[in-house]
Amino acid sequence: MTSSSVSSLLRLSFCLFILQVMNIGTCHAATRIYHFKVQTMRLTRLCQTKEIVTINGKFPGPAITAQEDDNIVVNVINMTPYNATIHWHGIKQKLSCWYDGPSYITQCPIQSGQSFTYNFTVAQQKGTFFWHAHFSWLRATVYGPLIVYPKANVPYPFKKPFKEHTILLGEYWLKNVVELEKHVLESGGPPPPADAFTINGQPGPNYNCSSKDVYELEIVPRKTYLLRLINAGINMESFFTIANHRLTIVEVDGEYTKPFTTERVMLVPGQTMNVLLAADQAIGRYSIAMGPYESAKNVKFQHTSAIASLRYFGAFPNSVASPAKLPVFNDNIAVKTVMDGLRSLKTVDVPEDVDAHLFITVGVNVNKCNSENPNNKCQGPRQGRLAASMNNISFNEPKVSILEAYYKKLEGYFTLDFPTVPEKSYDFVNGAPNDIANDTQAANGTRAMVFEYGSRIQIIFQNTGTLTTENHPIHLHGHSFYVIGYGTGNYDHRTARFNLEDPPYLNTIGVPVGGWAAIRFVADNPGLWLLHCHFDIHQTWGMSTMFIVKNGKTVAESLPHPPADLPKC
């Protein structure tokens, strides 16, 4: 072989080596590092300037982006006088339960002046998620998008949109939300409604001093856009619509769905939804509207809608926007229509054999008030104190990390006897199980359910009428679940119809007004997971419980040791 041939062979070998290294680099997941400073900032809204808690001085907070299977590292420094945690809503935290974020459940809060590093992998997940504070009502201003894109060269199951935009729906209070929660708890009465709804932090022209506080979305005619909708509100479910345009739902809670086109959608707090928007109308300006869905009776709420602007490229800046029409605030049919249209993109593997049949009631209670100061402490109905419960147990928030207590086998911090009943062993009176139908009083406790690794679980959530019925957004940490059925009235296994072929795969489900919802999932993520209503007021009142999933048979199915910098209580 000539020297030139050897040289050419060496160059070729070197090039192949470089290509191999480059290929390995593209196959390996990346680590995305972010720095979050929990800090206050002064913000002027609705004619008033106040201090709010933010991340990095931004409202809404900064976006986190990653690709499927990437590792995300977030260094959080708390520079406020309040405790803080961050929950990565919808991220399953596979074998990383320590970083899930709910205060006093999987970690003690990050106290003022302290820091904590969240370190987790978005394993086999992609889509629209979000992060938010999980202490007190701080998530009223502490929230932001978490977008996980498909891996390189993995297409969407629909034609690639021209561009995408993230739209966060929120609620805004003029009062300090931490003090507001304390006042509501002390009074025993209902919370005041939000002072405004917001779209990407802006209330829009319907509110005082807000004619210029309007989010504007500019689009190009004849293009298709992907809108990533996130309901970051804390106590209100929300309708969303765009004047003269239709929305095609293609993803909910980070899972693709069969395309479903509608004029309006409803998102419960904690829900995310991707919709396609076709810019197929005449060049001009069109209103984007967010308004309340309030299903409970005799509840005060914010009636005024938030308005944003959709402007076609080439439209006159001062042209009058076509108005958007929202449903009536209690339009249950509009909500059911959207839910009926949600189906998984393909046929899915729903567990057919079930190991645990659970029945869980959700509702609002009125507890007796024995205060010596009833005018200030007993402001609930019938001079009682409002509470909320699951199976008539109102959750007591502990002052330790329950996950840490479970991991270290510490006794006395919680009880492993959350009351459940088998699917077919209950009867109903007046919209509630017999044992609580005639009593609005809830028991108190910090209780959990324990499941073996790999258990196939079915839960029937039943809305009860102990005080009033409403649509309850129930969120499960650490898992997603198939919504196999739902309906109005009392659940009856003899007549209920289940979809076991292509039900939607969600992490948050609105249990219908006075009705029921059925879910199934596999408990395949070891750790301790919160199950709660995503109305912050209902969680504050106690509509929560916990799941404990035991370790599997292998190291790869076991919860790892707690991180060294886990905050202390």
Side-chain angles (χ1 to χ4, degrees), residues 41-51 172 174:
M41 65 171 282
R42 295 188 67 79
L43 182 71
T44 300
R45 290 284 187 274
L46 313 177
C47 315
Q48 293 187 31
T49 301
K50 59 169 283 192
E51 276 199 346
Y172 187 80
L174 290 171

Side-chain angles (χ1 to χ4, degrees), residues 190-191 294-301 303 329-330 381 386 467-470:
E294 179 52 71
S295 55
K297 296 180 180 179
N298 303 317
V299 173
K300 293 181 180 180
F301 62 94
H303 287 264
F329 71 89
N330 59 354
L386 285 167
L467 182 63
T468 183
T469 58
E470 61 186 298

Side-chain angles (χ1 to χ4, degrees), residues 370-516:
N370 300 315
S371 172
E372 296 179 355
N373 188 6
N375 291 336
N376 294 329
K377 304 292 185 181
C378 310
Q379 296 182 17
R382 300 184 293 276
Q383 291 188 321
R385 293 181 59 83
L386 285 167
S389 64
M390 289 186 171
N391 278 4
N392 218 36
I393 301 294
S394 190
F395 188 81
N396 274 353
E397 185 178 83
K399 296 304 178 186
V400 299
S401 164
I402 293 294
L403 176 60
E404 200 168 2
Y406 171 73
Y407 182 89
K408 295 179 179 179
K409 296 181 173 57
L410 301 176
E411 302 294 336
Y413 292 109
F414 63 99
T415 308
L416 302 176
D417 68 346
F418 181 80
T420 62
V421 292
E423 178 186 333
K424 299 180 181 180
S425 66
Y426 44 78
D427 191 14
F428 291 99
V429 175
N430 299 325
N434 281 336
D435 58 346
I436 65 171
N438 301 312
D439 187 4
T440 65
Q441 185 88 10
N444 295 316
T446 305
R447 305 192 184 190
M449 289 174 275
V450 182
F451 299 102
E452 297 294 332
Y453 179 87
S455 296
R456 295 158 297 185
I457 299 170
Q458 175 173 295
I459 303 178
I460 307 297
F461 293 108
Q462 176 68 53
N463 215 317
T464 62
T466 50
L467 182 63
T468 183
T469 58
E470 61 186 298
N471 197 80
H472 289 287
I474 303 299
H475 173 54
L476 175 60
H477 291 226
H479 298 78
S480 291
F481 46 76
Y482 293 108
V483 181
I484 59 173
Y486 49 87
T488 57
N490 295 330
Y491 172 74
D492 187 337
H493 68 273
R494 297 166 297 184
T495 58
R497 293 187 176 183
F498 288 168
N499 173 15
L500 302 181
E501 181 178 352
D502 60 351
Y505 195 50
L506 310 179
N507 60 58
T508 305
I509 175 63
V511 181
V513 182
W516 57 273

Side-chain angles (χ1 to χ4, degrees), residues 239-252:
F239 287 114
F240 177 88
T241 190
I242 301 177
N244 297 8
H245 290 74
R246 293 169 69 79
L247 308 171
T248 299
I249 302 170
V250 293
E251 177 192 304
V252 180

Side-chain angles (χ1 to χ4, degrees), residues 239 264 293 327 330-340 488:
F239 287 114
R264 62 189 70 88
Y293 169 52
N330 59 354
D331 191 341
N332 297 328
I333 300 300
V335 175
K336 184 179 184 301
T337 300
V338 173
M339 191 62 201
D340 286 347
T488 57

Side-chain angles (χ1 to χ4, degrees), residues 252-271:
V252 180
D253 285 358
E255 296 290 338
Y256 294 133
T257 62
K258 289 182 173 68
F260 175 70
T261 301
T262 178
E263 293 181 353
R264 62 189 70 88
V265 295
M266 194 282 285
L267 287 84
V268 302
Q271 193 170 58

